[in-house]
Coordinates of all heavy atoms in Angstrom, one line a residue:
S35 N 17.7 27.1 -4.8 CA 16.8 28.2 -4.9 C 16.0 28.2 -3.5 O 15.8 27.2 -3.0 CB 15.7 28.1 -5.9 OG 16.2 28.4 -7.1
P36 N 15.6 29.4 -3.1 CA 14.7 29.4 -1.9 C 13.4 28.8 -2.4 O 13.0 28.9 -3.6 CB 14.5 30.8 -1.5 CG 15.4 31.7 -2.5 CD 15.9 30.8 -3.5
I37 N 12.6 28.2 -1.5 CA 11.3 27.6 -1.8 C 10.3 28.3 -0.9 O 10.4 28.4 0.3 CB 11.3 26.1 -1.5 CG1 12.2 25.4 -2.5 CG2 9.8 25.6 -1.7 CD1 12.4 23.9 -2.2
S38 N 9.2 28.8 -1.5 CA 8.3 29.7 -0.7 C 6.9 29.1 -1.0 O 6.4 29.0 -2.1 CB 8.4 31.1 -1.1 OG 7.3 31.8 -0.8
I39 N 6.1 28.8 0.1 CA 4.7 28.4 0.0 C 3.9 29.7 0.0 O 3.8 30.5 0.9 CB 4.3 27.5 1.2 CG1 5.1 26.2 1.1 CG2 2.8 27.2 1.1 CD1 4.9 25.3 2.3
E40 N 3.2 29.9 -1.2 CA 2.6 31.2 -1.5 C 1.1 31.2 -1.2 O 0.5 32.2 -0.8 CB 2.8 31.6 -2.9 CG 4.2 31.8 -3.4 CD 4.8 33.2 -2.8 OE1 4.1 34.2 -3.1 OE2 5.9 33.2 -2.1
K41 N 0.5 30.0 -1.5 CA -1.0 30.0 -1.3 C -1.3 28.6 -0.9 O -0.6 27.6 -1.2 CB -1.7 30.2 -2.7 CG -2.0 31.6 -3.0 CD -3.1 31.7 -4.1 CE -3.3 33.2 -4.3 NZ -3.4 33.5 -5.7
I42 N -2.4 28.5 0.0 CA -2.8 27.1 0.5 C -4.3 27.0 0.4 O -5.1 27.9 0.9 CB -2.4 27.0 2.0 CG1 -0.9 27.3 2.1 CG2 -2.7 25.6 2.5 CD1 -0.4 27.3 3.6
A43 N -4.8 26.0 -0.3 CA -6.2 25.8 -0.3 C -6.7 24.7 0.8 O -5.9 23.7 1.0 CB -6.6 25.1 -1.7
V44 N -7.7 25.2 1.5 CA -8.2 24.3 2.6 C -9.7 24.2 2.4 O -10.3 25.0 1.6 CB -7.9 24.8 4.0 CG1 -6.4 24.8 4.3 CG2 -8.4 26.2 4.2
K45 N -10.4 23.3 3.1 CA -11.9 23.3 3.0 C -12.5 24.3 3.9 O -13.5 24.9 3.5 CB -12.3 21.8 3.4 CG -13.6 21.4 2.7 CD -14.0 20.1 3.4 CE -13.5 18.9 2.7 NZ -14.0 17.7 3.3
N46 N -11.9 24.5 5.1 CA -12.5 25.4 6.1 C -11.5 26.4 6.6 O -10.7 26.0 7.4 CB -13.1 24.6 7.1 CG -13.7 25.4 8.3 OD1 -13.8 26.6 8.2 ND2 -14.1 24.7 9.3
M47 N -11.6 27.6 6.2 CA -10.6 28.6 6.6 C -10.6 29.0 8.0 O -9.7 29.5 8.6 CB -10.7 29.9 5.7 CG -10.1 29.7 4.3 SD -10.4 31.1 3.2 CE -9.8 32.5 4.1
A48 N -11.8 28.7 8.6 CA -12.0 29.1 10.0 C -11.3 28.1 11.1 O -11.1 28.3 12.2 CB -13.4 29.2 10.3
K49 N -10.9 26.9 10.5 CA -10.3 25.8 11.3 C -9.0 26.3 12.0 O -8.2 26.9 11.3 CB -10.1 24.7 10.5 CG -10.1 23.3 11.1 CD -9.6 22.2 10.1 CE -10.5 21.1 10.1 NZ -10.1 20.0 9.2
L50 N -8.8 25.9 13.3 CA -7.6 26.2 13.9 C -6.5 25.3 13.3 O -6.7 24.0 13.0 CB -7.7 25.9 15.4 CG -8.3 26.9 16.3 CD1 -8.4 26.4 17.7 CD2 -7.5 28.3 16.1
R51 N -5.3 25.8 13.1 CA -4.2 25.0 12.4 C -3.2 24.7 13.4 O -2.9 25.4 14.4 CB -3.6 25.9 11.3 CG -4.7 26.3 10.2 CD -5.0 25.0 9.4 NE -6.4 25.2 8.7 CZ -7.0 24.3 8.1 NH1 -6.5 23.1 8.0 NH2 -8.1 24.5 7.5
N52 N -2.4 23.6 13.2 CA -1.3 23.2 14.1 C 0.0 23.9 13.8 O 1.1 23.5 14.3 CB -1.1 21.7 14.0 CG -2.3 20.9 14.6 OD1 -3.0 21.4 15.5 ND2 -2.6 19.8 14.0
V53 N 0.0 24.8 12.8 CA 1.2 25.4 12.4 C 1.0 26.8 12.1 O -0.2 27.2 11.7 CB 1.8 24.6 11.2 CG1 1.0 24.8 9.9 CG2 3.2 24.9 10.9
A54 N 2.0 27.7 12.4 CA 1.7 29.2 12.2 C 1.6 29.4 10.6 O 2.5 29.0 9.8 CB 2.9 30.0 12.7
I55 N 0.5 30.1 10.2 CA 0.2 30.4 8.9 C -0.2 31.8 8.7 O -1.1 32.2 9.5 CB -0.9 29.4 8.3 CG1 -0.3 27.9 8.1 CG2 -1.6 29.8 7.0 CD1 0.6 27.8 7.0
D56 N 0.2 32.5 7.7 CA -0.3 33.8 7.4 C -1.7 33.6 6.8 O -1.8 33.0 5.7 CB 0.7 34.4 6.3 CG 0.2 35.7 5.7 OD1 -0.9 36.1 6.1 OD2 1.0 36.3 4.9
A57 N -2.7 34.0 7.5 CA -4.1 33.8 7.1 C -4.3 34.3 5.7 O -5.2 33.8 4.9 CB -5.1 34.5 8.0
G58 N -3.6 35.3 5.2 CA -3.8 35.9 3.8 C -3.4 34.9 2.8 O -3.8 35.0 1.6
K59 N -2.7 33.8 3.1 CA -2.3 32.8 2.1 C -3.4 31.7 1.9 O -3.3 30.9 0.9 CB -1.1 32.0 2.6 CG 0.2 32.9 2.6 CD 1.5 32.1 2.9 CE 2.7 32.9 2.7 NZ 3.9 32.2 3.1
L60 N -4.4 31.7 2.8 CA -5.4 30.7 2.7 C -6.5 31.0 1.7 O -6.9 32.2 1.6 CB -6.0 30.4 4.1 CG -5.1 29.8 5.2 CD1 -5.9 29.6 6.5 CD2 -4.5 28.5 4.7
T61 N -7.0 30.0 1.1 CA -8.2 30.1 0.3 C -9.1 28.9 0.4 O -8.5 27.8 0.7 CB -7.8 30.3 -1.2 OG1 -9.1 30.3 -2.0 CG2 -6.9 29.3 -1.7
E62 N -10.3 29.0 0.2 CA -11.2 27.8 0.2 C -11.4 27.3 -1.3 O -12.2 26.3 -1.5 CB -12.5 28.0 0.9 CG -12.3 28.1 2.4 CD -13.6 28.4 3.2 OE1 -14.6 28.5 2.6 OE2 -13.5 28.5 4.5
D63 N -10.8 27.9 -2.2 CA -11.1 27.5 -3.6 C -9.7 27.1 -4.3 O -8.8 28.0 -4.6 CB -11.6 28.7 -4.4 CG -12.0 28.3 -5.8 OD1 -11.8 27.1 -6.2 OD2 -12.4 29.2 -6.6
P64 N -9.6 25.8 -4.5 CA -8.3 25.3 -5.1 C -8.0 26.0 -6.4 O -6.9 26.1 -6.8 CB -8.6 23.8 -5.2 CG -9.5 23.5 -4.2 CD -10.4 24.7 -4.1
W65 N -9.0 26.4 -7.2 CA -8.7 27.1 -8.5 C -8.0 28.4 -8.2 O -7.2 28.8 -9.1 CB -10.1 27.4 -9.2 CG -10.7 26.2 -9.8 CD1 -12.0 25.7 -9.4 CD2 -10.2 25.3 -10.7 NE1 -12.3 24.5 -10.1 CE2 -11.2 24.3 -11.0 CE3 -9.1 25.3 -11.4 CZ2 -11.0 23.2 -11.8 CZ3 -8.8 24.1 -12.3 CH2 -9.8 23.2 -12.5
D66 N -8.1 29.0 -7.1 CA -7.3 30.3 -6.8 C -5.8 29.9 -6.9 O -5.0 30.8 -7.3 CB -7.5 30.8 -5.4 CG -8.9 31.5 -5.3 OD1 -9.5 31.8 -6.3 OD2 -9.3 31.7 -4.2
V67 N -5.5 28.7 -6.5 CA -4.0 28.3 -6.4 C -3.6 27.8 -7.9 O -2.6 28.3 -8.4 CB -3.9 27.1 -5.5 CG1 -2.4 26.7 -5.4 CG2 -4.4 27.5 -4.1
I68 N -4.5 27.0 -8.5 CA -4.2 26.4 -9.8 C -4.1 27.6 -10.8 O -3.2 27.6 -11.7 CB -5.3 25.5 -10.3 CG1 -5.5 24.4 -9.3 CG2 -5.0 24.9 -11.7 CD1 -4.4 23.4 -9.1
N69 N -4.9 28.5 -10.8 CA -5.0 29.6 -11.8 C -4.0 30.7 -11.6 O -3.8 31.7 -12.4 CB -6.4 30.3 -11.8 CG -7.4 29.3 -12.4 OD1 -7.0 28.4 -13.1 ND2 -8.7 29.4 -12.0
D70 N -3.2 30.7 -10.4 CA -2.3 31.8 -10.1 C -1.0 31.7 -11.0 O -0.3 30.7 -10.9 CB -1.9 31.7 -8.6 CG -1.0 32.9 -8.2 OD1 -0.4 33.4 -9.1 OD2 -1.0 33.2 -7.0
P71 N -0.8 32.6 -11.9 CA 0.3 32.4 -12.9 C 1.6 32.6 -12.2 O 2.7 32.1 -12.7 CB 0.1 33.7 -13.8 CG -0.8 34.6 -13.1 CD -1.6 33.9 -12.1
E72 N 1.7 33.1 -10.9 CA 2.9 33.2 -10.2 C 3.4 31.8 -9.6 O 4.6 31.7 -9.2 CB 2.8 34.1 -9.0 CG 2.6 35.6 -9.4 CD 3.9 36.2 -9.9 OE1 4.9 36.0 -9.3 OE2 3.9 36.5 -11.1
I73 N 2.5 30.8 -9.4 CA 2.8 29.6 -8.8 C 3.5 28.6 -9.8 O 3.0 28.4 -10.9 CB 1.6 28.9 -8.3 CG1 0.8 29.8 -7.3 CG2 1.8 27.4 -7.7 CD1 1.2 29.7 -5.9
D74 N 4.7 28.1 -9.4 CA 5.5 27.2 -10.3 C 5.1 25.8 -10.0 O 5.2 24.9 -10.9 CB 7.0 27.4 -9.9 CG 7.4 28.8 -10.0 OD1 7.3 29.4 -11.2 OD2 7.9 29.4 -9.0
V75 N 4.9 25.4 -8.7 CA 4.7 24.0 -8.4 C 3.5 23.8 -7.5 O 3.3 24.6 -6.6 CB 5.9 23.4 -7.6 CG1 5.8 22.0 -7.4 CG2 7.3 23.9 -8.2
I76 N 2.6 22.8 -7.9 CA 1.4 22.5 -7.0 C 1.8 21.3 -6.2 O 2.2 20.3 -6.7 CB 0.2 22.1 -7.9 CG1 -0.2 23.3 -8.8 CG2 -0.9 21.7 -7.1 CD1 -0.8 24.5 -8.0
V77 N 1.7 21.4 -4.9 CA 1.8 20.2 -4.0 C 0.4 19.8 -3.5 O -0.3 20.5 -2.8 CB 2.7 20.6 -2.8 CG1 2.7 19.5 -1.8 CG2 4.1 20.8 -3.3
E78 N 0.0 18.7 -4.0 CA -1.4 18.2 -3.8 C -1.4 17.2 -2.6 O -1.0 16.1 -2.7 CB -2.0 17.6 -5.0 CG -3.5 17.2 -4.9 CD -3.7 15.9 -4.3 OE1 -3.2 14.9 -4.7 OE2 -4.4 15.9 -3.2
V79 N -1.9 17.7 -1.5 CA -2.0 16.8 -0.3 C -3.4 16.9 0.3 O -3.6 17.1 1.5 CB -0.9 17.0 0.8 CG1 0.4 16.5 0.3 CG2 -0.7 18.6 1.0
M80 N -4.4 17.0 -0.5 CA -5.8 17.1 0.0 C -6.6 15.8 -0.2 O -7.6 15.6 0.4 CB -6.5 18.3 -0.6 CG -6.8 18.2 -2.0 SD -7.6 19.8 -2.5 CE -8.5 19.2 -3.9
G81 N -6.2 14.9 -1.1 CA -6.9 13.7 -1.4 C -7.9 14.0 -2.4 O -8.2 15.1 -2.9
G82 N -8.7 12.9 -2.7 CA -9.8 12.9 -3.7 C -9.4 12.5 -5.0 O -8.2 12.4 -5.3
I83 N -10.4 12.2 -5.9 CA -10.0 11.5 -7.1 C -10.4 12.5 -8.3 O -9.6 13.1 -8.9 CB -10.5 10.1 -7.3 CG1 -9.9 9.2 -6.2 CG2 -10.1 9.5 -8.6 CD1 -10.4 7.8 -6.1
D84 N -11.7 12.4 -8.6 CA -12.2 13.1 -9.9 C -11.8 14.6 -10.0 O -11.2 15.1 -10.9 CB -13.6 12.8 -10.2 CG -13.8 11.3 -10.5 OD1 -12.9 10.7 -11.0 OD2 -14.9 10.8 -10.1
Q85 N -12.3 15.3 -8.9 CA -12.1 16.8 -8.9 C -10.6 17.1 -8.8 O -10.1 18.0 -9.5 CB -12.8 17.4 -7.8 CG -12.8 18.9 -7.7 CD -13.3 19.5 -9.0 OE1 -14.4 19.3 -9.5 NE2 -12.5 20.4 -9.6
T86 N -9.9 16.3 -8.0 CA -8.5 16.6 -7.8 C -7.7 16.3 -9.1 O -6.8 17.0 -9.5 CB -7.9 15.6 -6.7 OG1 -8.8 15.8 -5.5 CG2 -6.5 15.9 -6.3
K87 N -8.1 15.3 -9.9 CA -7.5 15.0 -11.2 C -7.8 16.2 -12.1 O -6.8 16.6 -12.8 CB -8.2 13.8 -11.8 CG -7.7 13.5 -13.2 CD -8.5 12.3 -13.8 CE -8.3 12.2 -15.3 NZ -9.3 11.4 -16.0
A88 N -8.9 16.8 -12.1 CA -9.2 18.0 -12.9 C -8.2 19.1 -12.5 O -7.7 19.9 -13.4 CB -10.7 18.5 -12.7
Y89 N -8.0 19.3 -11.2 CA -7.0 20.4 -10.8 C -5.6 20.1 -11.3 O -5.0 21.0 -11.8 CB -7.0 20.4 -9.2 CG -8.2 20.9 -8.5 CD1 -8.6 20.2 -7.3 CD2 -9.0 21.9 -9.0 CE1 -9.8 20.6 -6.7 CE2 -10.2 22.3 -8.3 CZ -10.6 21.7 -7.2 OH -11.7 22.0 -6.5
I90 N -5.2 18.8 -11.2 CA -3.8 18.5 -11.6 C -3.7 18.6 -13.0 O -2.6 19.2 -13.5 CB -3.5 17.1 -11.0 CG1 -3.3 17.3 -9.5 CG2 -2.3 16.5 -11.7 CD1 -2.9 16.1 -8.8
L91 N -4.6 18.2 -13.8 CA -4.5 18.2 -15.3 C -4.4 19.7 -15.7 O -3.7 20.1 -16.6 CB -5.6 17.5 -16.0 CG -5.5 15.9 -15.9 CD1 -6.7 15.3 -16.6 CD2 -4.2 15.4 -16.5

Side-chain angles (χ1 to χ4, degrees):
S35 282
I37 297 174
S38 160
I39 296 175
E40 297 283 308
K41 273 199 176 132
I42 306 173
V44 292
K45 210 189 267 179
N46 175 7
M47 279 171 60
K49 206 188 228 178
L50 279 178
R51 302 289 159 186
N52 293 327
V53 68
I55 284 292
D56 170 358
K59 289 187 175 176
L60 295 180
T61 170
E62 286 180 1
D63 184 1
W65 288 117
D66 286 345
V67 184
I68 305 293
N69 292 335
D70 184 337
E72 291 290 305
I73 302 276
D74 305 300
V75 189
I76 297 293
V77 171
E78 186 276 304
V79 285
M80 67 179 206
I83 300 178
D84 293 331
Q85 186 56 55
T86 308
K87 177 184 166 197
Y89 295 140
I90 285 182
L91 287 177

